[in-house]
Amino acid sequence: MSQQEQRRMQIRQRQKMAQHLAQEQEKLKGKLNTLYTADILSIARHFGNKPQATAARVTDIDNKGITIEWDWENNVGGKKSTDEMQFAFRDGASPGAAIMEISDLALEANKALGIDTKPQLTRDKEALEARTLVNFAFTPPSIPVMLSVLLGLSLAGYLGYVQDIHPSLHFIRALVSQSTCYYIFIMATGVHLLEALAVFAVCQLIKTFQPRQMSTKMQMQWTIGGALFGIFCLNKFISKILRQFAIADAMKAPSLAQQGYGRNG
């Protein structure tokens, strides 16, 4: 394939992507202006400083931000006027930034306007997250398991480092030598530390890409749990990771317009 043909193919691909993005933006704009008019009106009344605004709508969504337009009654002559305001994306130029931006703005506007209820967009978004995001809150092992693991590590360390052990433990020394206990303790401790480091790294990735799912407190809890209890603690963490992958695979990364944030448009 010649360079000219490659350039033509690249141009066609960019055109298709731009066309698809424009279609998604129009679908999203229609969804917002159909289902969340009250939220958008609150944004106009607060941020536009127009409490007398009577209607508002999203007029544009692109890779830089969103534009909201509103109508309001002019006290001079009673004429209807129209204003607009642009809001830049705070989370980067991604499709989800539009939803997050409007949700955050509507929530802030409702509080400023003295509206007690959460915006409908925020409630729908939270409902979607409850179905699609896994709760990574720390779940410790049962008390018997924790006591057994700590007792086993302590006993292996004691038998491995102390030569003159308590007489009640001589039967164990007869079965397992001191050097064997020492290596068992070292290997078990090393495995627990490796597990803790792996959990710390995975939690850091989750915290970076999904900060709402993982806090620093959760990260430290899972790391310490892994260091102390090893796989007996991490099996629950691994099950949460697998569940998140299963949810992501089931969703097949649908577009925001397809998700509808809990509603059918």
Side-chain angles (χ1 to χ4, degrees), residues 60-255:
D60 187 43
I61 301 176
D62 57 24
N63 60 351
K64 295 181 180 179
I66 60 175
T67 302
I68 295 179
E69 181 184 80
W70 60 87
D71 303 326
W72 58 283
E73 296 289 343
N74 194 330
N75 294 329
V76 180
K79 295 182 179 180
K80 182 178 290 187
S81 301
T82 301
D83 286 330
E84 69 176 20
M85 180 178 290
Q86 293 182 335
F87 298 87
F89 287 127
R90 293 175 293 183
D91 297 326
S94 65
I99 290 292
M100 292 300 301
E101 183 81 0
I102 296 177
S103 175
D104 293 343
L105 292 174
L107 187 61
E108 183 177 344
N110 276 16
K111 291 180 180 179
L113 296 172
I115 302 175
D116 295 332
T117 58
K118 289 183 179 180
Q120 185 63 53
L121 178 57
T122 302
R123 282 179 279 154
D124 287 353
K125 181 169 66 67
E126 290 175 349
L128 176 68
E129 290 174 350
R131 296 194 303 270
T132 58
L133 299 182
V134 173
N135 181 12
F136 280 96
F138 177 69
T139 307
S142 64
I143 293 178
V145 170
M146 289 192 291
L147 292 177
S148 299
V149 172
L150 294 178
L151 180 60
L153 286 174
S154 301
L155 184 60
Y158 176 75
L159 294 174
Y161 281 95
V162 178
Q163 186 172 3
D164 297 326
I165 60 175
H166 193 273
S168 63
L169 300 176
H170 283 173
F171 75 97
I172 299 180
R173 178 59 56 82
L175 297 174
V176 185
S177 66
Q178 181 179 359
S179 61
T180 301
C181 291
Y182 171 80
Y183 288 117
I184 290 175
F185 176 76
I186 293 298
M187 290 180 60
T189 303
V191 170
H192 280 212
L193 290 178
L194 288 175
E195 290 172 336
L197 290 174
V199 169
F200 181 86
V202 173
C203 288
Q204 187 63 40
L205 286 174
I206 298 173
K207 193 168 66 170
T208 301
F209 295 102
Q210 292 290 349
R212 288 169 293 171
Q213 291 182 266
M214 178 65 64
S215 64
T216 301
K217 180 181 178 180
M218 292 180 189
Q219 183 181 26
M220 297 309 299
Q221 287 175 329
W222 282 114
T223 302
I224 294 173
L228 291 177
F229 309 113
I231 193 61
F232 297 100
C233 177
L234 301 185
N235 60 344
K236 297 183 179 181
F237 181 77
I238 294 171
S239 67
K240 291 175 183 286
I241 293 290
L242 295 177
R243 180 168 177 263
Q244 184 66 76
F245 277 115
I247 290 175
D249 184 63
M251 290 181 66
K252 297 296 185 182
S255 67

Side-chain angles (χ1 to χ4, degrees), residues 21-39:
L21 180 60
Q23 291 174 350
E24 289 296 303
Q25 290 171 350
E26 285 299 317
K27 290 178 182 178
L28 179 57
K29 185 168 65 176
K31 185 77 69 174
L32 293 169
N33 289 331
T34 301
L35 299 176
Y36 306 107
T37 53
D39 298 344

